[in-house]
Amino acid sequence: MEVVWHSGAEAEEHTLELGVAAEPACWIHTGYASGYVSFCLGAPVYFAELSCRARGDALCVAVGKDRDSWGEEANAIAVHFEAAGDIERAGE
């Protein structure tokens, strides 16, 4: 699934308070989309922002995929959605 956020407050606030970002900054939007779609489908779906207005891009665009569909990128993306306790347990 691909989503486009028009006039997202997260990108606007980031730019106003911190200036242009080096990385996409709409973490709340991607987290919410991931949680909502995962709940609806009953399986983990991870959204990652591909372009972001906070970074100077024209639009905020995110893509959501399940772990298998992300392929080799899955672990790098999924780590952003782990709870602190899960990360601590994974290091044991």
Side-chain angles (χ1 to χ4, degrees):
M1 167 185 269
E2 182 177 290
V3 295
V4 176
W5 292 301
H6 298 273
S7 303
E10 242 180 320
E12 184 176 333
E13 287 298 319
H14 187 284
T15 304
L16 289 172
E17 295 295 324
L18 302 171
V20 177
E23 298 291 327
C26 296
W27 308 309
I28 295 171
H29 287 105
T30 54
Y32 184 85
S34 297
Y36 181 79
V37 174
S38 295
F39 176 80
C40 289
L41 297 179
V45 175
Y46 305 108
F47 278 76
E49 200 173 11
L50 303 180
S51 66
C52 182
R53 287 183 30 243
R55 198 172 62 178
D57 298 322
L59 294 169
C60 295
V61 178
V63 171
K65 302 178 188 181
D66 63 12
R67 183 179 282 277
D68 290 340
S69 297
W70 277 112
E72 292 184 17
E73 296 175 279
N75 290 335
I77 293 168
V79 72
H80 297 290
F81 297 96
E82 300 292 329
D86 292 341
I87 293 170
E88 291 168 8
R89 283 192 293 276
E92 293 177 351

